[in-house]
Amino acid sequence: MLQKSRCLRNLIPSSSFCSLPKIAAFYASRAASSVQEAFEPSTYSGSDDENGDIDWDNLGFGIKQTDYMYITKSSNDGIFEQGQINRFGNIELNPSAGVLNYGQGLFEGTKAFRREDGRLFLFRPDQNAIRMQFGADRMCMPSPSIDQFVDAVKQTALANRRWIPPPGKGSLYIRPLLIGSGPILGLAPAPEYTFLVFASPVGNYFKEGLSSLNLYIEDEFHRATRGGVGGVKSITNYSPVLKALTRAKSRGFSDVLYLDSVYKKNLEEATSCNIFVVKENIISTPPTNGTILPGVTRKTVIDIASNHGYQVEECTVPVEELLDADEVFCTGTAVGVLPVGSITYQGKRVDYKTESQLVSRDLYSTLVGLQSGLLEDKKGWFLEIE
């Protein structure tokens, strides 16, 4: 049974993921730029109707080159210059760039949506900005201000507005990147940083669409460890899990669910999403204690569930408690809110209900209602872009 006594009673504050220290001035001296744009600044002049022959019904989740991207770089005092929209294209990096040699890089993911009346909205981009600032501090990198980050995302969405799918057909996935672009040979922070934002129209992340997921619990490889960077969106978190993910998918599973690296028995998160376990009226999810990414959708779902009368608890969830759960579901920017149909652990498969009155469907319906404008956004989660 889920043990409430082990659960943390204080949920994440609604205003931020955690108490961020005041980010000090970064690195007094910077070298000259090593990133050269392979394109010229451009002003967007397209319209919503110029979307070509896009098959909105079969988008999937893959890169589809759009028209424009946003780019800026840090100046000598670690402050990012005013960025500008450029034609989408390749960039050039010095072979000794910090991101190429030491993996000094972060990324974020957010979405733009189109409503029935044609208005365009972003979903909580300020939370992505806060998370990038927190990650940048951990990785010894300067970061754009919250306003600069949100403005960059907004500009990118507007410049590529013809790529934002019709209502119900998908969204424009927006990928902000912060990389150490300056040349460095010895292990140290890069002398220069580049912040860029690109976008791609997407449909469902998993091939199952909105159907339930089949997860495999990995007990050989671990996604993160205490004291590492599992709690920030570092680029270094992702390629190490490819082996486990590829192996699981070759066996027919949707994704991998990882255990903690110390006791090897407590749930952490899946490769691409956070995990929630439901027992009666209690919804439990592992706490963001440094090894788990504090997802924006996770944070939103916690708030929605609490408003719906569920008892939401951040607590240690031993793998054994999955055997007694009524329902399991995942959340993430890319995946949204999806129920889990089965979990396989050490050769034993546990099936969960995926029909009738699902908690995850209830939460998903509310999230989509807010996204589409059918429900009132009382908390200001959606930012309209002109």
Side-chain angles (χ1 to χ4, degrees):
M1 297 291 289
L2 296 172
Q3 301 297 318
K4 292 186 285 184
S5 61
R6 288 185 278 101
C7 292
L8 305 177
R9 302 299 176 180
N10 296 321
L11 298 180
I12 302 174
S14 60
S15 59
S16 64
F17 288 110
C18 56
S19 297
L20 292 173
K22 184 177 181 181
I23 299 178
F26 286 83
Y27 323 120
S29 176
R30 304 276 180 196
S33 174
S34 64
V35 174
Q36 302 174 15
E37 292 80 12
F39 35 75
E40 295 297 327
S42 178
T43 302
Y44 172 70
S45 60
S47 71
D48 289 359
D49 297 329
E50 298 172 356
N51 51 27
D53 298 322
I54 303 172
D55 184 359
W56 297 119
D57 293 317
N58 295 287
L59 275 179
F61 198 94
I63 187 68
K64 293 175 177 59
Q65 182 173 317
T66 52
D67 301 315
Y68 298 96
M69 60 190 291
Y70 173 100
I71 191 163
T72 183
K73 59 189 177 186
S74 62
S75 54
N76 290 339
D77 58 1
I79 303 300
F80 283 89
E81 303 169 352
Q82 181 176 354
Q84 49 191 350
I85 292 293
N86 299 269
R87 279 285 181 181
F88 184 94
N90 296 334
I91 61 173
E92 294 182 2
L93 284 174
N94 190 299
S96 63
V99 67
L100 297 180
N101 290 265
Y102 299 116
Q104 197 181 24
L106 297 164
F107 75 88
E108 280 294 328
T110 187
K111 288 179 175 180
F113 302 91
R114 187 186 301 276
R115 292 185 178 173
E116 291 290 347
D117 59 6
R119 293 189 298 163
L120 307 177
F121 288 83
L122 298 173
F123 177 60
R124 307 191 78 176
D126 61 313
Q127 296 300 303
N128 295 94
I130 292 170
R131 189 168 64 181
M132 176 168 278
Q133 286 190 336
F134 182 71
D137 185 57
R138 175 64 176 85
M139 303 286 286
C140 293
M141 305 167 73
S143 62
S145 68
I146 294 176
D147 288 343
Q148 192 172 23
F149 180 102
V150 172
D151 181 65
V153 170
K154 183 177 179 179
Q155 286 192 50
T156 305
L158 285 173
N160 295 294
R161 62 186 302 157
R162 73 188 183 98
W163 295 95
I164 302 178
K169 300 294 186 180
S171 59
L172 183 71
Y173 184 87
I174 302 172
R175 172 62 59 84
L177 283 170
L178 179 62
I179 60 174
S181 51
I184 193 77
L185 187 59
L187 180 57
E192 177 203 274
Y193 296 86
T194 296
F195 175 61
L196 61 88
V197 186
F198 68 92
S200 176
V202 297
N204 295 316
Y205 183 79
F206 290 107
K207 66 179 181 180
E208 293 89 344
L210 297 178
S211 300
S212 58
L213 304 176
N214 298 305
L215 303 183
Y216 174 80
I217 294 182
E218 177 61 60
D219 56 6
E220 178 182 357
F221 300 108
H222 298 283
R223 177 189 168 274
T225 188
R226 292 182 181 179
V229 292
V232 302
K233 210 164 176 62
S234 167
I235 63 173
T236 55
N237 288 341
Y238 293 87
S239 56
V241 303
L242 290 176
K243 187 174 184 65
L245 180 61
T246 302
R247 184 171 64 180
K249 287 193 172 184
S250 71
R251 299 172 180 173
F253 296 102
S254 310
D255 203 349
V256 176
L257 180 58
Y258 295 91
L259 302 178
D260 75 288
S261 62
V262 177
Y263 302 106
K264 305 182 191 304
K265 67 175 185 178
N266 300 319
L267 302 185
E268 292 226 318
E269 64 175 295
T271 305
S272 56
C273 42
N274 296 116
I275 191 82
F276 288 79
V277 178
V278 181
K279 182 63 177 179
E280 297 176 349
N281 196 51
I282 301 173
I283 303 177
S284 301
T285 188
T288 53
N289 55 8
T291 59
I292 297 173
L293 191 70
V296 177
T297 306
R298 172 188 184 274
K299 176 183 175 68
T300 304
V301 164
I302 286 175
D303 285 345
I304 293 174
S306 297
N307 291 337
H308 282 210
Y310 296 104
Q311 183 176 336
V312 185
E313 300 175 335
E314 293 183 89
C315 59
T316 299
V317 183
V319 65
E320 291 82 9
E321 291 190 358
L322 288 173
L323 303 177
D324 195 41
D326 295 332
E327 182 184 343
V328 178
F329 64 90
C330 293
T331 67
T333 297
V335 307
V337 182
L338 283 179
V340 174
S342 72
I343 293 179
T344 299
Y345 176 52
Q346 295 182 340
K348 182 176 181 179
R349 172 174 167 143
V350 179
D351 294 299
Y352 304 96
K353 64 178 183 179
T354 57
E355 302 296 337
S356 67
Q357 300 296 321
L358 292 182
V359 171
S360 58
R361 295 300 189 203
D362 177 32
L363 303 178
Y364 174 75
S365 295
T366 299
L367 185 61
V368 172
L370 292 167
Q371 169 191 319
S372 64
L374 295 177
L375 297 178
E376 182 182 359
D377 177 19
K378 296 180 180 179
K379 296 191 176 184
W381 286 338
F382 289 86
L383 174 65
E384 183 173 7
I385 53 180
E386 299 298 332

